[in-house]
Amino acid sequence: MSIATAMIIGASSQLSQTLAKQLSAQQVSLVLFVNDPDSFSEFSQSLPGEVSVYPLAITQPDTLIAQLNAAWTKHDGAHLVIVNTGVNEYDSTLPWAIDQHTIDVNVMGFAAASQCIFKLMCEQGYGQLAAINSIAGQRGGPNVAYHASKAFAANYLQGLSMHAQRLKLPITISDIQLGLFDKAVHLNTQMLLSPIDKVAEQILTALKKGKRRVYVTKRWRIVAWINRLLPEYIYNTRHWNPRKK
Ligand SMILES: NC(=O)c1ccc[n+]([C@@H]2O[C@H](COP(=O)([O-])OP(=O)(O)OC[C@H]3O[C@@H](n4cnc5c(N)ncnc54)[C@H](OP(=O)(O)O)[C@@H]3O)[C@@H](O)[C@H]2O)c1
């Protein structure tokens, strides 16, 4: 028997799948939203617990909100919702298409999903909304729209947390400030990479503790702190290594 229900919005990513495996092993019933449900059936069937899969139109807010509402009603709500959609692209010639796509997914889609879930949790009277964010939001950076979108997400989550407090509702808003993990090997650095199982474990431990903001893995708190302190004339002269395909 399931002890709780968790929704993962953007469940196809490697990190989401690792979170899903760990939650399913802990008898949590899963409601997963993915871009392409058909190509996801092999993974979802491999999970030990209850699991339902729904499509995700992250760049079409009206459709997205309808999809989330329909699943919420069907499953009678959820205890935990993790938003883990995101794109991160880099081109030094700064084509508008990259910024447009990043804003559509990381800003518009993120806000539509988070706000919709927050309102549903308000009606339900409780819940935990967590978003996989990035320490990239702490300062501007080379992937211009990506860095800015992560600052938007942190700020947006803070606002939702404020509303939960105003309404005196036990709704926890958790901002997961991620550093780099294994998947980011293409960034040309092996330094500070963390195994994905450890990343997922630390995220779930922080969520159980009801953390408002957490750095994962823990050592990235120090990197984030140094990053914030660096004077602009040093911060702006970081090396620009070409990315390997
Ligand atoms: N990778 C890292 O080292 C790292 C570091 C810091 C923070 N993060 C953050 O972690 C989050 C996830 O990153 P990730 O590396 O796991 O990325 P990822 O593997 O590319 O996953 C992103 C998720 O978003 C979904 N998505 C993207 N565009 C979509 C669209 N147009 N329609 C529907 N779904 C869409 C993807 O679905 P599809 O697979 O179906 O496209 C996937 O489920 C992001 O918010 C990112 O900022 C990652």
Side-chain angles (χ1 to χ4, degrees), residues 10-185:
S12 55
S13 85
Q14 216 187 340
L15 177 58
S16 292
Q17 291 187 25
T18 311
L19 289 166
K21 279 185 205 160
Q22 294 186 11
L23 285 167
S24 192
Q26 295 170 33
Q27 292 177 291
V28 174
S29 172
L30 294 174
V31 180
L32 308 176
F33 295 88
V34 295
N35 203 9
D36 179 9
D38 290 339
S39 65
F40 202 63
S41 57
E42 195 180 329
F43 171 75
S44 61
Q45 282 164 19
S46 74
L47 294 169
E50 283 172 39
V51 54
S52 304
V53 181
Y54 294 96
L56 173 66
I58 197 76
T59 55
Q60 298 161 50
D62 292 340
T63 310
L64 170 67
I65 289 167
Q67 289 169 337
L68 296 175
N69 274 297
W72 187 271
T73 306
K74 191 166 175 197
H75 293 273
D76 209 14
H79 299 83
L80 167 68
V81 177
I82 301 174
V83 182
N84 187 28
T85 46
V87 289
N88 182 7
E89 296 161 85
Y90 176 71
D91 182 334
S92 59
T93 65
L94 304 180
W96 170 243
I98 284 189
D99 284 12
Q100 173 81 68
H101 188 215
T102 307
I103 293 165
D104 285 351
V105 176
N106 297 13
V107 177
M108 187 178 66
F110 167 80
S114 302
Q115 206 233 38
C116 172
I117 295 297
F118 180 74
K119 284 184 180 164
L120 289 167
M121 285 181 175
C122 288
E123 281 170 25
Q124 178 177 254
Y126 68 90
Q128 181 167 26
L129 169 62
I132 309 296
N133 204 359
S134 170
I135 64 162
Q138 302 202 345
R139 286 186 91 159
N143 305 17
V144 183
Y146 176 75
H147 283 255
S149 74
K150 294 299 161 185
F152 174 89
N155 196 303
Y156 199 89
L157 293 168
Q158 171 92 64
L160 292 181
S161 182
M162 203 173 262
H163 277 279
Q165 219 164 345
R166 172 182 68 81
L167 296 164
K168 297 188 171 44
L169 285 172
I171 297 175
T172 307
I173 307 292
S174 299
D175 180 352
I176 313 294
Q177 291 276 315
L178 223 60
L180 295 179
F181 56 91
D182 278 353
K183 192 178 161 287
V185 174

